[in-house]
Amino acid sequence: NHFIEILQYDGAKRPREEESDQDPRGRQKPQTGRDSGRHPEGEDTDNDKGLEKKKVLEKLMDSDEEQEGEPLDESSVKKMILTFEKRSYKNQELRIKFPDNPEKFMDSELDLNDIIQEMHVIATMPDLYHLLVELNAVQSLLGLLSHENTDILFSKLVDLLQELTDIDTLHESEEGAEVLIDALLEGQVVALLVQNMERLDEQVKEEADGVYNTLAIIENMAEFRPGLCTEAAQQGLMQWLLKRIKAKMPFDANKLYCSEILAILLQNNDNTRELLGELDGIDVLLQQLSVFKRHNPATAEEQEMMENLFDSLCSCLMLAANRDRFLKGEGLQLMNLMLREKKMSRTSALKVLDHSMIGPEGSDNCHKFVDILGLRTIFPLFMKTPKKMKKAGVSEKEHEEHVCSIIASMLRNLKAQQRSRLLSKFTENDCEKVDRLMELHFKYLEAVQSADKRIEGEKHDMVRRGEIIDDAIEDEFYLRRLDAGLFVLQLVCCIMVEISNAGIPQLQQRVHQILNLRGGSVKVVRHIMREYIENIGDGKSDEFRESEQKRIMELLDNF
């Protein structure tokens, strides 16, 4: 019988690779600390009580025999939950009555552990999750999270919650999942989990595992309901993650997981980005990333953590207030040094620079970058894509997109002396940088034209089949064109138009000369730029959109 099989003492759980050192997400489980547990808080450490504790733990470890179970249905789940409630109440009562006499309540603790293990079977039936809420079991489980016995009960509770919130399980019954997540959030589950992580000692393997599994619960809920990220961050999670990431501990699976959760919290969420900035999180990220300025990550896992931290930094820089914090924290200097050191961090440093300079909010960063001699760093990368970047799995298009975006942002934002220094770069060595710019123009123009031909063919086939090409399909085609190279082409054209209007005849003549020699056309550039300004400023204010469109149209009139 399937249900008899899964009701074994060592956890009635959904099938997973429990015996492996890898968790279901493929991450290496923590391998730190001692293998023995600690005494419950407040427990007398005399020999007799130590032996009593040892016996209980041995009994728990040895209880692998199968227990008889009954088919899982609504009635049996109700019975299981009611048994859990009774045992929970009894344990609480005995602990209050005999606070200094563990042997009086240890048997009740063992019974409570048994029923918590049995409740794992509920994770196989998410459509019955409503019973956990209706019979108040969720609140009781949350109440037990602060139980004094971290050795036995806390890890079991976390394991149960992780099973119940498994993302695949949640998607099996959306209705049951919604009810469970609502009840967990109402009970301030994230705040409770964070409080409990604070009291765990990660030098002890079992407690390090408890931290890891706690983070898995949070990830499950955030994936199922992204909107809870703001609430979770405000319930102490953001502060704990930053504290754990900067802790002076050897790199391990928990630090990697923390970096991943942080990146998830910051994705498309201005509230969490603002909170991180207020908690001096920009400095924490820069300090952690500074390690990779002159040294490559030692392992693939450490490299993944580095990328997570870079992604978090990029997300934060979408908020204008964090641009200023990045500037004051000397983030530009760090990224510039990373570009010069030519280590593995160089690719991501380029992406961070791009995010820090884009739009009018990036003006201060653009000026500072010129002041710290950043032009000497960025233009060699513009002239040639480094081979090491190709080996690192970064495409030429990705590299050229970030470099062109940085130069386009500087041309838009720089004033006075800094702008003159930038423009003078294009006149050096017989305008070699203009030649490179035009080379990129024709490269991406050809790629976009090829994509356009394929799309036109698909549209023709759709019309022939009587299918309607609506706005959604047109948007999909436009995204495909951007991915094929249209976005880089638009950036190149922006730079081309800007330098042609810089009042330096030498630059304008060189641009038009190459366009004519290569069979290019000013009309093509105008068409690309008009298409660009139609979509400019998405997510920005109408005022910004209108002013930017007007500025570019004036440049085009003189092109």
Side-chain angles (χ1 to χ4, degrees), residues 139-156:
Q139 292 305 314
S140 297
L141 287 169
L142 294 178
L144 284 173
L145 283 175
S146 55
H147 197 279
E148 292 88 341
N149 193 339
T150 58
D151 295 309
I152 300 174
L153 285 176
F154 177 72
S155 62
K156 306 299 181 185

Side-chain angles (χ1 to χ4, degrees), residues 85 96 149 155 184 233 318 338 341 415 426 504 531 549:
E85 290 287 348
I96 293 171
N149 193 339
S155 62
L184 289 171
M318 300 296 285
M338 284 179 170
E341 288 293 337
K415 308 293 181 186
F426 285 95
I504 304 175
E531 187 177 23
Q549 287 175 339

